[in-house]
Amino acid sequence: MTGFFEQGELVGVLTTQPLGRVLDYKAPEGGCFAGAFVEVPLGPRKVLGVVWGPGKGDWDISKVRSVIRVLDAPPMREDMTEFLTRAGKYTLTPLSAMLRLATRAPGLGNPVSMRKIYRLGTGKADRMTPAREKVLTVLQDYGGLSFTLGELAEQAGVTSSVIKGLVKQGAVREEDTPRDTPFPRLDPNLPGKALSPDQAAAVEALAAQNGYRTTLLKGVTGSGKTEVYLEAVSRCLEQNRQALVLLPEIALTAEFLKRVEARFGARPAEWHSGVTMTERRRVWRMVAESGAELVVGARSALFLPFRNLGLIVVDEEHDTSYKQEDGVLYNARDMAVLRASLCGAQVVLASATPSLESWANAEAGKYQKVELTSRFGEAVLPKMRSVDMRPEKLPAGRWISSELKSEIAARLERGEQSLVFLNRRGYAPVTLCRACGHQIGCDQCDARMVEHRFLKRLMCHQCGETKPMPDTCPSCNVEGRLAAVGPGVERMGEEVAGLFPEARIAVLSSDLFGSARAMKAQIEEIADGGADIIIGTQLVAKGHNFPKLTLVGVIDADLGLQGSDLRAAERTFQLMRQVAGRAGRAETAGLALLQTFQPDHPVIRAILSGDEDGFWRAEAAEREAAGVPPYGRMAGIVLSGPDVGAVFDLGSHLAKNDAPLRRVGAEVFGPAPAPIARIRGRHRVRLLVKAPKGVALQQALADWTANLRLKGDLRLAIDIDPQSFF
Ligand code: ADP
Ligand code: ZN
């Protein structure tokens, strides 16, 4: 996308409004470049847009309006428009929605605090001198870019008075622009840590890559993956290219920022939901202007306007939070690979327990595989044992086995930390009336309400609706017979406090913190030894460093194995190994105890035996036989609406008219009620499309759904490569 459009020329502008097409406008006074961010009139409103190319000219020319103004934002680069286009095609998302992802900084065109910048004007200089010529040449060569007085003078090799002279005559335009300060320079030449031989080999394998290439960096927790990819960042910075490190959880950034600072002498830019609006704006701009060399962020950082991206690291690449589950349904891991391929960058996928997708890509030689086999230094892998819960005769409302109890007691004695792991938020998953058997559900969803005792409320984990804990049963009106059934982390906190009244206990669950910042702070404090026993959900499984932690007790290792998710085994395997990996990171050997009612389950056995490759091979064989990802393709279709009959009718209509799918060898299954058949009052029906690998599935899906008329409040969402099936 190159080219300049003179004033009045037709340009096509993509806006963030869901219009289904690029609109024609006339280029504004002074003209505009392709890629320029602009403000355009749309009905009575002014909206943000990007000059996408020449106009189509298929609109009544007398009705075509003018672009209002070119925003003072660095223009969109060609690799970005290509990325948005390709990612939109892959996920079947309209371009307008893709553009929204790429413009998630507030007030892109609004000045905040000002400074003067210079760009090409429309006037003519009365007389040309070689110095004046140089200034105009620089401005022409750099297209839409603007310069500060100092930058322009330096580029052109002239004094600032030459530029001022051109401004007076209108040949150069002087504008006020917001001041966003660049991030401090990172110094790649500061010494890194002395690397172990396999770390050094890994760094070398990464350095051997030039241009686009994906590497799976596999190594147990504590093996030094972070240390290795920091070296790749260092090399990228040396080459004056930008780097992006994606982390699955905001709470992880605190520790990582410290490590970056220790390694490069300054902090990188941060991009996630905990970052202020002003800072977002600054990051967005600085990334575009090369004022930010390294960004650490959440998945949406992939849509920042990098100017010269050389490396993307996806840490904990198997993590399910990389898949965005609402709005644009994209998987940041896959989009990172796409983005990198378009700008010649390297991708590092780091994990102790890679996704089967990445494992298979590495096996097939599509990805380079680099492995760190041992923990760094003295640290050794934790011992793992199962605790058979069948002979354990625990009283009602108790979940901690005698073995786990005595191991925790031993840690308390030695001043070490223990982690009690249960992947369930709240106090109890079910509230049951002992008089009539009624279970309290959400009025809006087909889901039980979960008691949150800290908040003194019942909460629906689907829609977030809460209500006070009632005294009487809403069904039979009997008083005082409501009982909590099953454990959540809050309840585990109670049990642990009862068993160890002297211990300092911390419950870590994402819903217990008002803000990401508060959560970060608490995790740091705990890691420093601020608690003896940590009770946590999967929040703690994600890469946090707890140096004093030597015991992990998994309350219910069977939890993830229930349900029909095709990745149930993979997820349980990953989560259990990940959690176990929290134990014994420093010099002390750790122990992981898995409480289970099915100690002979193949997944539990694979976890304990440590035969990872065996597990992956078995899992891969099963998926291949079933023709499911990564050996086949899948798309999930969710239909929803307030009227259950209409939703089903639409589902049946789609299932019957499946010719476009059959043409490419794809099959459709369903319609069937979704596992959660109602959310927020909307009934939900699912269809599942399976296709052989390598077919043009997206095109077929687009054809299949192209002529649908979604009457009333019916909605259809297509999820390519679905990760969840609720
Ligand atoms: P991972 O990312 O694989 O979990 P880390 O990179 O976080 O592993 O390393 C685990 C711990 O070991 C960290 O505290 C890290 O600073 C330390 N470490 C790793 N490699 C080295 C090294 N070469 N020299 C000194 N410390 C190291
Ligand atoms: Zn609900």
Side-chain angles (χ1 to χ4, degrees), residues 91-113:
T91 57
L92 292 169
T93 306
L95 268 176
S96 54
M98 296 310 296
L99 180 61
R100 276 199 293 281
L101 285 178
T103 51
R104 281 181 34 184
L108 278 186
N110 303 347
V112 179
S113 81

Side-chain angles (χ1 to χ4, degrees), residues 338-353:
L338 173 62
R339 172 118 212 223
S341 72
L342 295 172
C343 59
Q346 188 173 164
V347 182
V348 175
L349 305 176
S351 175
T353 52

Side-chain angles (χ1 to χ4, degrees), residues 193-195 199 220-227 259 376 585:
K193 296 198 165 106
L195 300 177
Q199 289 175 343
V220 293
T221 319
S223 58
K225 294 184 295 298
T226 311
E227 224 52 65
R259 289 179 72 166
F376 177 74
R585 289 191 42 117

Side-chain angles (χ1 to χ4, degrees), residues 541-617:
K542 297 185 178 178
H544 298 289
N545 221 337
F546 296 101
K548 298 190 170 69
L549 187 73
T550 60
L551 171 69
V552 169
V554 176
I555 294 301
D556 186 354
D558 310 332
L559 194 57
L561 291 174
Q562 301 146 5
S564 55
D565 189 332
L566 79 99
R567 294 186 179 83
E570 175 183 349
R571 294 264 161 78
T572 302
F573 183 79
Q574 286 161 341
L575 187 60
M576 291 301 113
R577 293 199 58 104
Q578 206 80 41
V579 177
R582 299 299 108 208
R585 289 191 42 117
E587 296 72 34
T588 335
L591 172 67
L593 291 178
L594 273 57
Q595 300 193 153
T596 173
F597 284 91
Q598 350 172 33
D600 295 324
H601 192 291
V603 175
I604 301 287
R605 286 173 52 173
I607 294 166
L608 296 176
S609 76
D611 177 16
E612 268 184 75
D613 273 322
F615 173 78
W616 290 123
R617 258 188 279 283

